[in-house]
Amino acid sequence: MSVAALGVFVAVVLVTGFGTPGFLLRHDDPKPPSAGQTTPTSTSRFARNSDSQLQAAKTVAEEFLQRLNANKLDGPDGAKAMACPGSNSLLGGTLLAVEPPTQLAIPTQGEVRFHDPVIEVDVAGVTDQRAVTGYVRLQPWKDHQPCVRILAIH
């Protein structure tokens, strides 16, 4: 290879590697937030097996039960909207067993526990005039509130 051809080759690699398309540049660097945006802080993240994760799961379970008790199943404010991706079919079958009047709650002596890799929150109450017990199973997430994986009542 001649010196001129080698020079052209090096120039092409430098331009395409660091210029356009930039295949030699790191693409996994986070972009700085634009005006008005914030980045998640360590206090907004939930550590696995932490009290904050358990409290977040309990709060989500309470909201889920409130929607069921109000007979709000579908739509953006319905119980199904709180489902984890891929859980709509699971909740659809389970929620068909929940019929008004429904009064489900987290019992005073109920537990919120890790059941790796999910969190389970005990529930009890009445649906369709029959007493039931069971749990809401939630999927924990690192940077946002848990979502509902399944409702199991018997």
Side-chain angles (χ1 to χ4, degrees):
M1 186 183 282
S2 72
V3 174
L6 181 61
V8 170
F9 176 76
V10 170
V12 168
V13 169
L14 289 174
V15 169
T16 60
F18 294 105
T20 303
F23 64 84
L24 292 176
L25 297 174
R26 291 184 57 169
H27 294 283
D28 59 346
D29 290 340
K31 293 180 181 177
S34 59
Q37 284 184 322
T38 59
T39 56
T41 63
S42 59
T43 58
S44 68
R45 292 185 173 269
F46 299 109
R48 191 132 173 88
N49 253 348
S50 71
D51 289 339
S52 63
Q53 183 77 84
L54 293 173
Q55 184 57 46
K58 184 177 180 182
T59 301
V60 170
E62 287 171 340
E63 174 66 23
F64 178 72
L65 295 175
Q66 287 174 0
R67 291 177 184 197
L68 289 179
N69 293 340
N71 198 29
K72 293 167 78 175
L73 300 181
D74 296 309
D77 294 331
K80 289 181 183 179
M82 299 180 74
C84 297
S87 293
N88 287 334
S89 60
L90 293 173
L91 285 179
T94 304
L95 294 182
L96 294 177
V98 178
E99 295 182 25
T102 296
Q103 288 302 314
L104 296 174
I106 299 170
T108 306
Q109 301 300 321
E111 290 186 46
V112 179
R113 64 196 162 275
F114 275 97
H115 191 73
D116 202 25
V118 296
I119 299 172
E120 291 180 350
V121 180
D122 289 339
V123 299
V126 175
T127 183
D128 194 24
Q129 300 178 351
R130 63 185 171 96
V132 295
T133 60
Y135 58 86
V136 176
R137 184 172 287 165
L138 300 121
Q139 180 71 47
W141 297 103
K142 283 187 167 193
D143 58 358
H144 59 83
Q145 291 186 339
C147 56
V148 176
R149 181 62 62 195
I150 194 166
L151 168 66
I153 55 172
H154 48 274

